[in-house]
Amino acid sequence: MTQSFRITLLPGDGIGPEIMAVTVEVMNQVGSQLDLEFNFQEALMGGVAIDATGTPLPADTLETCRQSDAVLLAAIGGYKWDALPRHQRPETGLLALRAGLGLFANLRPATILPQLVEASSLKREVVEGVDIMVVRELTGGIYFGEPKGIFETETGEKRGVSTMAYKDSEIDRIGRVAFATAQKRQGRLCSVDKANVLEVSQLWRDRITALAADYGDVELSHLYVDNAAMQLVRWPKQFDTIVTGNLFGDILSDAAAMLTGSIGMLPSASLGADGPGVFEPVHGSAPDIAGQDQANPLAQILSAAMMLRYGLNQPVAADKIEAAVNQVLDQGYRTGDIMAEGMTGVGCRGMGDAILKALA
Ligand code: IPM
Ligand code: MG
């Protein structure tokens, strides 16, 4: 019997539409092989939404997302919208989508593929075999804490304020996702904070430590964020699963991503307690190469695989896509960002065609 899924597509800006088009073809091919039907519905978000409606996340886009089984997002933003007031910026739409769907858990894997070891700026022996999952809290912390704003002081000087705050319940729910994630991996969880300075981090550390009692099979450790950044580039293989707050997770996940040398390869998943998750590549909209058929679609395609695995509970389809990506890399196909000597250079479409052929 055919299983069908409603999927909202948010192609967004820059290279978004090209990598999304290729990914839809890949999903359709896998779907037809496994008797899965995907009903795609496209909606506006980001700069395109600002141009069409004046706001980066129109209400009907959020509603369409809510009505679907999963949301596949490409990338948003570009120079054109950078100077707009904050409430109209593409990034504000992304934060509103996360908050609106309650997506408090952001899973960002940084896995180095053996075919791409040379793409890393670090030595082979340091990165070979790296397989890290960053679990980033996504709807709290300093991104959303109150008070926030730019206020005028009595002396007429302006004062910018953002507040880093976490409640017990916010720490516990992301902590539980992280422990459960570590259980399914190598059973090691490192919690990252700044408890030597910040009260909010002290509470974070206390709660995560208390949770450990429920997960006897997970080995918990703690690092201060500055040390964690250093350890990530010194000896990344010491990490299995990392759990941290919104801001530290933003920074550390970029660093972890770059260990692999190819941010164009990395997918991510943002999940809530229930309802649809959002799946998107870690990279941005790359406006400098938009529309030139140069973009690497693999992070988007791997995001679709993550959607199938974590959002739609279709591990067989996810495995198929991941195997196809592996195969085209083995065959030597490379987009510009991961090109190396002796490999076959392809564009976005060419890479998509290679994946389709690998699946066939
Ligand atoms: C990310 C991005 C976003 C963030 C920006 C675009 C708002 O850097 O997803 O990591 O800071 O969360
Ligand atoms: Mg970021």
PDB file of all heavy atoms in Angstrom, residues 76 90-92 94-95 98 106 108 136 138 143 246 249-251 253-254 268 280-282, ligand 1:
ATOM      1  N   ILE A  76      18.091  30.704   3.228  1.00  0.00           N
ATOM      2  CA  ILE A  76      17.471  32.030   3.119  1.00  0.00           C
ATOM      3  C   ILE A  76      18.512  33.117   3.307  1.00  0.00           C
ATOM      4  O   ILE A  76      19.565  32.899   3.877  1.00  0.00           O
ATOM      5  CB  ILE A  76      16.358  32.232   4.168  1.00  0.00           C
ATOM      6  CG1 ILE A  76      16.919  31.999   5.571  1.00  0.00           C
ATOM      7  CG2 ILE A  76      15.169  31.323   3.892  1.00  0.00           C
ATOM      8  CD1 ILE A  76      16.179  32.751   6.622  1.00  0.00           C
ATOM      9  N   PRO A  90      15.515  38.212   6.782  1.00  0.00           N
ATOM     10  CA  PRO A  90      15.256  36.790   6.554  1.00  0.00           C
ATOM     11  C   PRO A  90      15.528  35.942   7.803  1.00  0.00           C
ATOM     12  O   PRO A  90      14.768  35.014   8.111  1.00  0.00           O
ATOM     13  CB  PRO A  90      16.239  36.436   5.438  1.00  0.00           C
ATOM     14  CG  PRO A  90      16.520  37.714   4.724  1.00  0.00           C
ATOM     15  CD  PRO A  90      16.395  38.805   5.743  1.00  0.00           C
ATOM     16  N   GLU A  91      16.598  36.272   8.540  1.00  0.00           N
ATOM     17  CA  GLU A  91      16.963  35.494   9.742  1.00  0.00           C
ATOM     18  C   GLU A  91      15.846  35.532  10.783  1.00  0.00           C
ATOM     19  O   GLU A  91      15.642  34.564  11.524  1.00  0.00           O
ATOM     20  CB  GLU A  91      18.237  36.065  10.387  1.00  0.00           C
ATOM     21  CG  GLU A  91      19.509  35.852   9.570  1.00  0.00           C
ATOM     22  CD  GLU A  91      19.710  36.893   8.476  1.00  0.00           C
ATOM     23  OE1 GLU A  91      18.809  37.738   8.265  1.00  0.00           O
ATOM     24  OE2 GLU A  91      20.772  36.846   7.824  1.00  0.00           O
ATOM     25  N   THR A  92      15.144  36.657  10.844  1.00  0.00           N
ATOM     26  CA  THR A  92      14.042  36.781  11.798  1.00  0.00           C
ATOM     27  C   THR A  92      12.937  35.790  11.449  1.00  0.00           C
ATOM     28  O   THR A  92      12.282  35.218  12.330  1.00  0.00           O
ATOM     29  CB  THR A  92      13.516  38.228  11.802  1.00  0.00           C
ATOM     30  OG1 THR A  92      14.622  39.091  12.075  1.00  0.00           O
ATOM     31  CG2 THR A  92      12.444  38.436  12.853  1.00  0.00           C
ATOM     32  N   LEU A  94      13.449  32.882  10.103  1.00  0.00           N
ATOM     33  CA  LEU A  94      13.936  31.561  10.514  1.00  0.00           C
ATOM     34  C   LEU A  94      13.697  31.349  12.011  1.00  0.00           C
ATOM     35  O   LEU A  94      13.221  30.289  12.443  1.00  0.00           O
ATOM     36  CB  LEU A  94      15.431  31.452  10.187  1.00  0.00           C
ATOM     37  CG  LEU A  94      16.100  30.098  10.386  1.00  0.00           C
ATOM     38  CD1 LEU A  94      15.415  29.030   9.564  1.00  0.00           C
ATOM     39  CD2 LEU A  94      17.587  30.176  10.009  1.00  0.00           C
ATOM     40  N   LEU A  95      13.986  32.374  12.807  1.00  0.00           N
ATOM     41  CA  LEU A  95      13.765  32.266  14.249  1.00  0.00           C
ATOM     42  C   LEU A  95      12.275  32.111  14.544  1.00  0.00           C
ATOM     43  O   LEU A  95      11.881  31.340  15.435  1.00  0.00           O
ATOM     44  CB  LEU A  95      14.328  33.494  14.978  1.00  0.00           C
ATOM     45  CG  LEU A  95      15.852  33.688  14.868  1.00  0.00           C
ATOM     46  CD1 LEU A  95      16.302  34.907  15.667  1.00  0.00           C
ATOM     47  CD2 LEU A  95      16.622  32.462  15.310  1.00  0.00           C
ATOM     48  N   ARG A  98      11.264  28.513  13.834  1.00  0.00           N
ATOM     49  CA  ARG A  98      11.690  27.625  14.923  1.00  0.00           C
ATOM     50  C   ARG A  98      10.762  27.775  16.123  1.00  0.00           C
ATOM     51  O   ARG A  98      10.328  26.775  16.714  1.00  0.00           O
ATOM     52  CB  ARG A  98      13.131  27.966  15.337  1.00  0.00           C
ATOM     53  CG  ARG A  98      14.162  27.612  14.276  1.00  0.00           C
ATOM     54  CD  ARG A  98      15.535  28.167  14.632  1.00  0.00           C
ATOM     55  NE  ARG A  98      16.519  27.820  13.608  1.00  0.00           N
ATOM     56  CZ  ARG A  98      17.759  28.315  13.562  1.00  0.00           C
ATOM     57  NH1 ARG A  98      18.164  29.196  14.463  1.00  0.00           N
ATOM     58  NH2 ARG A  98      18.579  27.942  12.606  1.00  0.00           N
ATOM     59  N   ASN A 106      17.937  20.892  17.953  1.00  0.00           N
ATOM     60  CA  ASN A 106      18.596  20.999  16.652  1.00  0.00           C
ATOM     61  C   ASN A 106      19.736  19.975  16.591  1.00  0.00           C
ATOM     62  O   ASN A 106      20.671  20.040  17.381  1.00  0.00           O
ATOM     63  CB  ASN A 106      19.135  22.433  16.520  1.00  0.00           C
ATOM     64  CG  ASN A 106      19.751  22.743  15.171  1.00  0.00           C
ATOM     65  OD1 ASN A 106      20.617  23.595  15.068  1.00  0.00           O
ATOM     66  ND2 ASN A 106      19.313  22.073  14.129  1.00  0.00           N
ATOM     67  N   ARG A 108      22.802  18.515  14.647  1.00  0.00           N
ATOM     68  CA  ARG A 108      23.752  18.871  13.590  1.00  0.00           C
ATOM     69  C   ARG A 108      24.910  17.877  13.564  1.00  0.00           C
ATOM     70  O   ARG A 108      25.866  18.010  14.314  1.00  0.00           O
ATOM     71  CB  ARG A 108      24.269  20.289  13.806  1.00  0.00           C
ATOM     72  CG  ARG A 108      23.163  21.311  13.688  1.00  0.00           C
ATOM     73  CD  ARG A 108      23.675  22.731  13.684  1.00  0.00           C
ATOM     74  NE  ARG A 108      22.626  23.624  13.216  1.00  0.00           N
ATOM     75  CZ  ARG A 108      22.759  24.920  13.017  1.00  0.00           C
ATOM     76  NH1 ARG A 108      23.928  25.497  13.224  1.00  0.00           N
ATOM     77  NH2 ARG A 108      21.756  25.648  12.578  1.00  0.00           N
ATOM     78  N   ARG A 136      21.909  21.058  19.686  1.00  0.00           N
ATOM     79  CA  ARG A 136      21.846  22.466  20.059  1.00  0.00           C
ATOM     80  C   ARG A 136      20.432  22.838  20.486  1.00  0.00           C
ATOM     81  O   ARG A 136      19.486  22.549  19.750  1.00  0.00           O
ATOM     82  CB  ARG A 136      22.268  23.301  18.843  1.00  0.00           C
ATOM     83  CG  ARG A 136      22.032  24.788  18.979  1.00  0.00           C
ATOM     84  CD  ARG A 136      22.218  25.487  17.628  1.00  0.00           C
ATOM     85  NE  ARG A 136      21.931  26.913  17.733  1.00  0.00           N
ATOM     86  CZ  ARG A 136      21.776  27.735  16.700  1.00  0.00           C
ATOM     87  NH1 ARG A 136      21.893  27.276  15.462  1.00  0.00           N
ATOM     88  NH2 ARG A 136      21.510  29.007  16.881  1.00  0.00           N
ATOM     89  N   LEU A 138      17.395  25.189  20.652  1.00  0.00           N
ATOM     90  CA  LEU A 138      17.128  26.097  19.519  1.00  0.00           C
ATOM     91  C   LEU A 138      16.044  27.154  19.754  1.00  0.00           C
ATOM     92  O   LEU A 138      15.868  28.046  18.931  1.00  0.00           O
ATOM     93  CB  LEU A 138      16.747  25.234  18.308  1.00  0.00           C
ATOM     94  CG  LEU A 138      16.922  25.837  16.921  1.00  0.00           C
ATOM     95  CD1 LEU A 138      18.346  26.285  16.654  1.00  0.00           C
ATOM     96  CD2 LEU A 138      16.472  24.870  15.832  1.00  0.00           C
ATOM     97  N   TYR A 143      19.081  33.917  22.365  1.00  0.00           N
ATOM     98  CA  TYR A 143      18.366  34.278  21.139  1.00  0.00           C
ATOM     99  C   TYR A 143      16.959  34.794  21.451  1.00  0.00           C
ATOM    100  O   TYR A 143      16.385  35.550  20.671  1.00  0.00           O
ATOM    101  CB  TYR A 143      18.242  33.063  20.216  1.00  0.00           C
ATOM    102  CG  TYR A 143      19.429  32.837  19.311  1.00  0.00           C
ATOM    103  CD1 TYR A 143      20.724  32.779  19.824  1.00  0.00           C
ATOM    104  CD2 TYR A 143      19.259  32.658  17.938  1.00  0.00           C
ATOM    105  CE1 TYR A 143      21.808  32.550  18.994  1.00  0.00           C
ATOM    106  CE2 TYR A 143      20.339  32.425  17.107  1.00  0.00           C
ATOM    107  CZ  TYR A 143      21.612  32.376  17.647  1.00  0.00           C
ATOM    108  OH  TYR A 143      22.678  32.139  16.813  1.00  0.00           O
ATOM    109  N   ASN A 246      21.767  27.538  22.868  1.00  0.00           N
ATOM    110  CA  ASN A 246      21.529  28.084  21.541  1.00  0.00           C
ATOM    111  C   ASN A 246      22.759  28.788  20.951  1.00  0.00           C
ATOM    112  O   ASN A 246      23.200  28.465  19.844  1.00  0.00           O
ATOM    113  CB  ASN A 246      20.337  29.047  21.639  1.00  0.00           C
ATOM    114  CG  ASN A 246      19.570  29.168  20.340  1.00  0.00           C
ATOM    115  OD1 ASN A 246      20.085  28.830  19.276  1.00  0.00           O
ATOM    116  ND2 ASN A 246      18.345  29.642  20.421  1.00  0.00           N
ATOM    117  N   GLY A 249      25.895  26.548  20.760  1.00  0.00           N
ATOM    118  CA  GLY A 249      25.650  25.547  19.727  1.00  0.00           C
ATOM    119  C   GLY A 249      25.775  26.127  18.330  1.00  0.00           C
ATOM    120  O   GLY A 249      26.228  25.459  17.399  1.00  0.00           O
ATOM    121  N   ASP A 250      25.362  27.365  18.184  1.00  0.00           N
ATOM    122  CA  ASP A 250      25.511  28.043  16.892  1.00  0.00           C
ATOM    123  C   ASP A 250      26.980  28.081  16.506  1.00  0.00           C
ATOM    124  O   ASP A 250      27.361  27.734  15.381  1.00  0.00           O
ATOM    125  CB  ASP A 250      24.939  29.466  17.006  1.00  0.00           C
ATOM    126  CG  ASP A 250      25.087  30.248  15.710  1.00  0.00           C
ATOM    127  OD1 ASP A 250      24.807  29.673  14.638  1.00  0.00           O
ATOM    128  OD2 ASP A 250      25.488  31.425  15.773  1.00  0.00           O
ATOM    129  N   ILE A 251      27.807  28.489  17.446  1.00  0.00           N
ATOM    130  CA  ILE A 251      29.234  28.674  17.167  1.00  0.00           C
ATOM    131  C   ILE A 251      29.936  27.320  17.011  1.00  0.00           C
ATOM    132  O   ILE A 251      30.648  27.089  16.032  1.00  0.00           O
ATOM    133  CB  ILE A 251      29.873  29.489  18.314  1.00  0.00           C
ATOM    134  CG1 ILE A 251      29.220  30.878  18.395  1.00  0.00           C
ATOM    135  CG2 ILE A 251      31.383  29.606  18.113  1.00  0.00           C
ATOM    136  CD1 ILE A 251      29.504  31.634  19.682  1.00  0.00           C
ATOM    137  N   SER A 253      28.751  24.427  16.297  1.00  0.00           N
ATOM    138  CA  SER A 253      28.335  23.591  15.165  1.00  0.00           C
ATOM    139  C   SER A 253      28.982  24.063  13.865  1.00  0.00           C
ATOM    140  O   SER A 253      29.236  23.264  12.974  1.00  0.00           O
ATOM    141  CB  SER A 253      26.805  23.522  15.043  1.00  0.00           C
ATOM    142  OG  SER A 253      26.248  24.772  14.759  1.00  0.00           O
ATOM    143  N   ASP A 254      29.270  25.354  13.751  1.00  0.00           N
ATOM    144  CA  ASP A 254      30.024  25.805  12.575  1.00  0.00           C
ATOM    145  C   ASP A 254      31.451  25.263  12.621  1.00  0.00           C
ATOM    146  O   ASP A 254      31.984  24.816  11.603  1.00  0.00           O
ATOM    147  CB  ASP A 254      30.075  27.341  12.499  1.00  0.00           C
ATOM    148  CG  ASP A 254      28.977  27.923  11.605  1.00  0.00           C
ATOM    149  OD1 ASP A 254      27.912  27.298  11.505  1.00  0.00           O
ATOM    150  OD2 ASP A 254      29.201  28.995  11.007  1.00  0.00           O
ATOM    151  N   SER A 268      20.925  19.049   8.624  1.00  0.00           N
ATOM    152  CA  SER A 268      20.537  19.228  10.023  1.00  0.00           C
ATOM    153  C   SER A 268      19.047  18.965  10.172  1.00  0.00           C
ATOM    154  O   SER A 268      18.293  18.997   9.201  1.00  0.00           O
ATOM    155  CB  SER A 268      20.860  20.646  10.498  1.00  0.00           C
ATOM    156  OG  SER A 268      19.928  21.573   9.984  1.00  0.00           O
ATOM    157  N   GLU A 280      17.146  20.991   7.088  1.00  0.00           N
ATOM    158  CA  GLU A 280      17.806  21.968   6.218  1.00  0.00           C
ATOM    159  C   GLU A 280      19.311  21.753   6.223  1.00  0.00           C
ATOM    160  O   GLU A 280      19.880  21.261   7.196  1.00  0.00           O
ATOM    161  CB  GLU A 280      17.507  23.390   6.710  1.00  0.00           C
ATOM    162  CG  GLU A 280      17.992  23.630   8.116  1.00  0.00           C
ATOM    163  CD  GLU A 280      17.784  25.063   8.621  1.00  0.00           C
ATOM    164  OE1 GLU A 280      18.216  25.994   7.934  1.00  0.00           O
ATOM    165  OE2 GLU A 280      17.207  25.207   9.716  1.00  0.00           O
ATOM    166  N   PRO A 281      19.973  22.157   5.134  1.00  0.00           N
ATOM    167  CA  PRO A 281      21.426  22.103   5.125  1.00  0.00           C
ATOM    168  C   PRO A 281      22.004  23.110   6.114  1.00  0.00           C
ATOM    169  O   PRO A 281      21.366  24.118   6.423  1.00  0.00           O
ATOM    170  CB  PRO A 281      21.801  22.469   3.689  1.00  0.00           C
ATOM    171  CG  PRO A 281      20.589  23.045   3.065  1.00  0.00           C
ATOM    172  CD  PRO A 281      19.411  22.606   3.858  1.00  0.00           C
ATOM    173  N   VAL A 282      23.219  22.837   6.592  1.00  0.00           N
ATOM    174  CA  VAL A 282      23.874  23.756   7.520  1.00  0.00           C
ATOM    175  C   VAL A 282      24.361  25.011   6.789  1.00  0.00           C
ATOM    176  O   VAL A 282      24.421  26.094   7.349  1.00  0.00           O
ATOM    177  CB  VAL A 282      25.058  23.033   8.224  1.00  0.00           C
ATOM    178  CG1 VAL A 282      25.927  24.011   8.990  1.00  0.00           C
ATOM    179  CG2 VAL A 282      24.524  21.958   9.171  1.00  0.00           C
TER     180      VAL A 282
HETATM  181  C1  IPM B   1      22.196  28.871  12.078  1.00  0.00           C
HETATM  182  C2  IPM B   1      22.267  30.295  11.632  1.00  0.00           C
HETATM  183  C3  IPM B   1      21.113  31.048  12.291  1.00  0.00           C
HETATM  184  C4  IPM B   1      21.321  30.970  13.781  1.00  0.00           C
HETATM  185  C5  IPM B   1      20.943  32.495  11.822  1.00  0.00           C
HETATM  186  C6  IPM B   1      20.845  32.597  10.330  1.00  0.00           C
HETATM  187  C7  IPM B   1      19.756  33.134  12.485  1.00  0.00           C
HETATM  188  O1  IPM B   1      23.511  30.847  11.921  1.00  0.00           O
HETATM  189  O2  IPM B   1      21.167  28.219  11.822  1.00  0.00           O
HETATM  190  O3  IPM B   1      23.173  28.392  12.644  1.00  0.00           O
HETATM  191  O4  IPM B   1      22.075  31.764  14.352  1.00  0.00           O
HETATM  192  O5  IPM B   1      20.711  30.105  14.400  1.00  0.00           O
END
